[in-house]
Amino acid sequence: GIDRKGGRKFGDQEIASPWDLTFVSEEEKIYIAMSGLHQIWELDLVTGIAQNYSGTGEEANLNSGDKQKAAWAQPSGISFLPKTGTNQKWFGIADSESSCIRLIQGDSVVNIAGGSNDPDDLFCFGDKDGKEYSAKLQHPIGITALEKAVTFEDERGVEYDILVTDTFNHKIKWVSTGSRTCRTWLDAGGNDSEFCEPSGITVGDGFVFVVDTNHHVIKYINQATSEIRVLEIPDNFQIPNMEIDGSDHLASEVDPVQVSSFSTTELRVSLLLPPALHINTEAPNSWKLSLFRGSKKISFLETQGKISENSFSLHVSADDEEEATLKISVSLFLCGDGTCTMDERTVLVPLHVIKDA
């Protein structure tokens, strides 16, 4: 689409070449690096409305005290940066075509590292550690906020709170939003090196996960030791499957499900209905998630959603808690023999969090 304003809901809203997103759980909103429109968008998961959050739509490296008047150049990476002591929302942006890292800081957009102070110069790239415009990157794509800031003895007072993939330099670099500096962490240089055009990046439980694009693998790095390994996915890997039986009254507990402490786990839920009944797809069938018995460290990409068929998927992410119980509630409009009725079912799913899984 070419709509640079937005305001419509979910599938009714056209978008263009989204490259990355970040979830702000307190708001139940997703913020999107809308590369094809040279903008940053927001999607409200409660109202379903998607609209422009920052950027005029012009392709440029223009910073501004008004985020709507700023201009982006193919933003490809975005990460929410939780900041204590402020009610402002901060987002780190990998602005790929301008080869720089920029920051939405409340209502303002500022440069952090790389690029040119000429907003029309999109060819100011290179490979150099440094501060603000003296630092140089080449088409960075991935960006992620660190769980805990990193410091170095030779740079006292500098706290690095972001990691980026400097994609066309085949490197992983630290970035400090406080001092606006950039520093190489993992050096490489092409097909025979450790990384070849790395793109996506995220962190979890002391590890950094990198999409090593042109090596066609996922790699993970011990943040403390810088040891790099390839993530091996077993041939027999299966997504956990759960069934909600609608043939009887249900308020029961199913078998435990294991989730990884590293990343999001997908759970597939199947609805088993009596042969004579079917879901009325024109009615507002829905599911809802909640937790009890503990862990506040379990989170969901979505906490509620619509049901249009006899199965749906949930995405659960966990930290280092040992266990918790997931409550799945479904509201269904069931029809059969010319009549329809509403039915509500609940299932309890024990979650066992496996560290280093």
Side-chain angles (χ1 to χ4, degrees):
I2 58 173
D3 181 3
R4 288 181 165 82
K5 183 177 179 180
R8 295 192 291 273
K9 292 186 177 181
F10 290 127
D12 294 330
Q13 177 62 56
E14 292 183 341
I15 58 177
S17 194
W19 269 66
D20 195 16
L21 56 81
T22 188
F23 178 51
V24 181
S25 58
E26 294 82 0
E27 299 180 341
E28 293 193 58
K29 288 184 178 181
I30 290 174
Y31 292 82
I32 306 165
M34 199 71 72
S35 181
L37 298 175
H38 310 297
Q39 291 177 320
I40 307 300
W41 277 46
E42 63 177 345
L43 169 62
D44 190 318
L45 296 177
V46 176
T47 65
I49 295 176
Q51 60 187 345
N52 179 33
Y53 182 72
S54 173
T56 63
E58 177 187 1
E59 185 178 18
N61 177 19
L62 178 63
N63 300 304
S64 174
D66 182 345
K67 63 178 182 288
Q68 290 289 344
K69 295 180 179 179
W72 302 91
Q74 294 183 24
S76 299
I78 182 170
S79 183
F80 175 58
L81 308 177
K83 293 292 181 180
T84 57
T86 177
N87 57 3
Q88 293 181 333
K89 289 196 296 291
W90 287 28
F91 297 95
I93 310 292
D95 201 33
S96 297
E97 197 66 10
S98 65
S99 291
C100 67
I101 304 302
R102 300 166 67 187
L103 179 70
I104 299 178
Q105 188 175 5
D107 291 327
S108 301
V109 176
V110 299
N111 173 274
I112 296 296
S116 170
N117 58 5
D118 177 357
D120 295 321
D121 183 2
L122 301 182
F123 297 94
C124 190
F125 54 82
D127 184 7
K128 181 182 178 183
D129 293 353
K131 184 179 178 68
E132 297 179 340
Y133 296 114
S134 67
K136 290 292 176 278
L137 303 96
Q138 187 173 2
H139 205 84
I141 290 180
I143 185 169
T144 188
L146 292 173
E147 298 172 307
K148 183 179 180 181
V150 173
T151 60
F152 297 93
E153 292 184 0
D154 62 333
E155 288 182 303
R156 293 183 179 180
V158 178
E159 293 188 342
Y160 291 91
D161 50 354
I162 290 177
L163 273 173
V164 301
T165 55
D166 191 3
T167 302
F168 286 3
N169 285 324
H170 316 290
K171 293 184 176 182
I172 313 298
K173 295 184 176 181
W174 309 103
V175 173
S176 169
T177 59
S179 65
R180 301 189 183 183
T181 55
C182 179
R183 174 185 179 130
T184 299
W185 178 28
L186 299 171
D187 198 346
N191 284 311
D192 295 327
S193 65
E194 197 66 65
F195 297 100
C196 187
E197 294 190 9
S199 53
I201 187 169
T202 190
V203 297
D205 201 26
F207 287 83
V208 178
F209 296 83
V210 176
V211 178
D212 194 5
T213 302
N214 281 357
H215 282 149
H216 311 290
V217 295
I218 308 297
K219 291 180 178 176
Y220 64 101
I221 307 113
N222 186 313
Q223 190 174 319
T225 65
S226 300
E227 180 185 13
I228 304 172
R229 293 187 178 183
V230 174
L231 181 64
E232 302 289 348
I233 300 176
D235 293 336
N236 61 352
F237 175 79
Q238 294 182 344
I239 296 174
N241 210 5
M242 294 176 297
E243 294 181 342
I244 295 181
D245 189 346
S247 59
D248 299 304
H249 294 292
L250 179 69
S252 60
E253 186 167 301
V254 299
D255 292 336
V257 171
Q258 292 184 351
V259 297
S260 170
S261 63
F262 279 165
S263 59
T264 299
T265 300
E266 180 181 1
L267 306 179
R268 286 185 185 151
V269 181
S270 299
L271 305 173
L272 303 182
L273 304 177
L277 294 180
H278 65 272
I279 294 176
N280 182 353
T281 57
E282 297 180 358
N285 305 286
S286 63
W287 57 264
K288 185 177 181 180
L289 300 181
S290 59
L291 270 175
F292 66 99
R293 287 189 205 152
S295 176
K296 295 181 180 180
K297 293 189 177 182
I298 306 289
S299 59
F300 315 109
L301 183 62
E302 295 177 298
T303 57
Q304 56 187 358
K306 296 179 180 180
I307 298 175
S308 59
E309 51 189 26
N310 286 14
S311 65
F312 56 93
S313 295
L314 310 174
H315 296 85
V316 181
S317 58
D319 238 333
D320 57 359
E321 296 289 336
E322 292 183 357
E323 61 182 46
T325 301
L326 176 65
K327 179 181 178 181
I328 306 174
S329 301
V330 296
S331 295
L332 301 173
F333 291 81
L334 304 176
C335 298
D337 296 329
T339 62
C340 294
T341 184
M342 180 182 177
D343 198 359
E344 294 185 346
R345 304 284 170 165
T346 299
V347 63
L348 306 179
V349 185
L351 299 179
H352 291 344
V353 180
I354 308 300
K355 293 193 68 176
D356 302 338

